[in-house]
Amino acid sequence: MTKNYRDGGMRFSVAPMLDWTDRHCRAFHRVLSRHALLYTEMVTTGAILYGPRERLLSYGETEHPVAVQLGGSSPKDLAECARICADYGYDEINLNVGCPSDRVQNGAFGACLMLEPEIVAECVSAMKAVVSLPVTVKCRIGVDDQEPEVALFTLAEKVVAAGVDALIVHARKAWLKGLSPKENRDVPPLDYPLVHRLKQMYPDIPMAINGGIADWETITQQLEHMDGVMVGRAAYQEPEMLLEVDQRLFEDDRPVRNSFEAVEAYEPYIASQLEQGQRLSQMTRHMLGLFAGQPGARLYRRHLATEAVKREAGLEVLHQAVELIRQQTIRQQEILESAN
């Protein structure tokens, strides 16, 4: 189970990302770090109440600490979903107040809720009333023409009064009109100092910062101001970053030392999923960022991208991809030795 936030439970987390942070991804990331807080993809209240609940919410026990992120704007529905998620054993309930996708806008939740801080507070209060888990909010600093300092500080004031356990702030605006969800991840400028000022105003409320955090220098700098950092695409696209988390931030030994050991440690999970009828590519697609910058990395990615999707693909495909890395590493070493 996750630590209390005031004891460092949110010091490092991997952001919830649609189509990316599924249970296979989380199982892989857990191989790389014992302590990083992992999040599900956003799950809407409608999907939980009326859809394939078991498929959406099931996870492996090894994934702890793991949080579920909910998308919705009805206090009643969110309370019911929070209760359901608590019964599933999640470590945290997080409310999405930052996603700018068209689907979310059509449902009047996600980043749209930055315009409705009172509703967000009602949602937090309703969830807090039915679960003992931490209830947190992930938000932007504003949307469209909102003044960020007003929008963010107003939202924080309302949810703090409602009893929110922690805030995670993506330090960019979301433009609901004129920018795609992809553009919203890069185009609006970052405003870290604004988020730092919010933390100074609420020193007793645990807060993490998200957005543009892609290296350990930035992580270290942000932790001078914030209780935690949330890393998104950088952790997914270059997962070796996670190999450093436990040692740097939690004074614990690394569970694995390098990408080769990471593959070996993840193999039992892959094997178990293959036995259950999952395709190899459903697991290996989350591993394409391994070995980034190493000799043979492109060959490794290409082999997995073309071979793992085949119906009969098994662990031998992964072994072949890793062997390409080993061969290229040996070849480069031989070239260096001959040059000397």
Side-chain angles (χ1 to χ4, degrees), residues 295 323 325-335:
E323 185 59 27
I325 297 283
R326 295 187 192 278
Q327 292 173 1
Q328 290 296 312
T329 301
I330 293 171
R331 188 169 304 160
Q332 186 180 67
Q333 184 64 36
E334 290 174 345
I335 292 171

Side-chain angles (χ1 to χ4, degrees), residues 105-126:
Q105 291 184 51
N106 292 336
F109 57 96
C112 298
L113 288 175
M114 291 296 302
L115 299 165
E116 304 286 352
E118 294 84 3
I119 291 178
V120 179
E122 291 174 15
C123 293
V124 169
S125 181

Side-chain angles (χ1 to χ4, degrees), residues 81-306:
C81 289
R83 185 192 61 75
I84 291 169
C85 291
D87 288 344
Y88 269 81
Y90 281 98
D91 298 302
E92 173 196 320
I93 310 292
N94 178 261
L95 178 62
N96 184 316
V97 187
C99 180
S101 75
D102 292 340
R103 181 164 65 94
V104 165
Q105 291 184 51
N106 292 336
F109 57 96
C112 298
L113 288 175
M114 291 296 302
L115 299 165
E116 304 286 352
E118 294 84 3
I119 291 178
V120 179
E122 291 174 15
C123 293
V124 169
S125 181
M127 290 188 284
K128 290 284 295 179
V130 297
V131 299
S132 59
L133 299 178
V135 173
T136 68
V137 167
K138 184 174 187 291
C139 65
R140 294 277 185 140
I141 61 174
V143 297
D144 296 338
D145 294 324
Q146 282 186 312
E147 172 56 45
E149 189 138 5
V150 174
L152 177 61
F153 280 61
T154 300
L155 179 75
E157 177 187 7
K158 299 295 183 182
V159 297
V160 167
V164 76
D165 290 287
L167 284 170
I168 304 103
V169 184
H170 186 154
R172 304 181 197 269
K173 265 190 176 184
W175 286 92
L176 305 178
K177 302 172 185 177
L179 292 181
S180 69
K182 183 177 184 298
E183 291 170 328
N184 263 300
R185 293 193 292 266
D186 295 303
V187 175
L190 288 160
D191 192 346
Y192 293 148
L194 175 63
V195 184
H196 300 165
R197 292 198 297 275
L198 181 71
K199 174 58 188 174
Q200 291 168 2
M201 178 171 283
Y202 295 99
D204 295 330
I205 301 298
M207 290 189 197
I209 193 166
N210 173 230
I213 300 172
D215 55 64
W216 278 101
E217 181 180 1
T218 306
I219 290 170
T220 301
Q221 291 170 350
Q222 290 302 321
L223 288 174
E224 293 176 1
H225 304 278
M226 306 296 295
D227 301 298
V229 294
M230 176 179 276
V231 181
R233 284 169 293 162
Y236 187 91
Q237 294 168 349
E238 296 188 18
E240 285 175 319
M241 170 188 281
L242 299 177
L243 291 174
E244 303 285 333
V245 170
D246 292 5
Q247 193 171 59
R248 285 177 178 259
L249 301 181
F250 296 93
E251 299 180 354
D252 194 6
D253 292 335
R254 298 180 182 187
V256 296
R257 293 173 297 176
N258 54 49
S259 290
F260 292 106
E261 290 187 6
V263 172
E264 186 176 341
Y266 191 43
E267 279 191 21
Y269 176 83
I270 296 175
S272 70
Q273 294 301 305
L274 290 173
E275 289 178 359
Q276 295 175 39
Q278 299 289 314
R279 293 277 188 93
L280 179 67
S281 59
Q282 292 174 290
M283 283 73 72
T284 58
R285 73 186 184 97
H286 303 299
M287 306 170 66
L288 296 178
L290 277 181
F291 305 105
Q294 297 185 38
R298 183 177 299 177
L299 295 173
Y300 162 85
R301 292 193 300 271
R302 183 186 303 162
H303 189 77
L304 288 181
T306 58

Side-chain angles (χ1 to χ4, degrees), residues 21 23 26 54 56 64 156 159 189 220 290 293 301 306 316 325:
T21 52
R23 62 181 301 180
R26 298 192 303 270
E54 179 64 22
L56 293 170
H64 288 293
V159 297
T220 301
L290 277 181
R301 292 193 300 271
T306 58
E316 71 283 350
I325 297 283

Side-chain angles (χ1 to χ4, degrees), residues 56-78:
L56 293 170
L57 294 180
S58 62
Y59 63 91
E61 285 301 311
T62 59
E63 293 176 38
H64 288 293
V66 59
V68 60
Q69 186 183 66
L70 299 179
S73 57
S74 162
K76 178 182 177 183
D77 289 350
L78 281 164

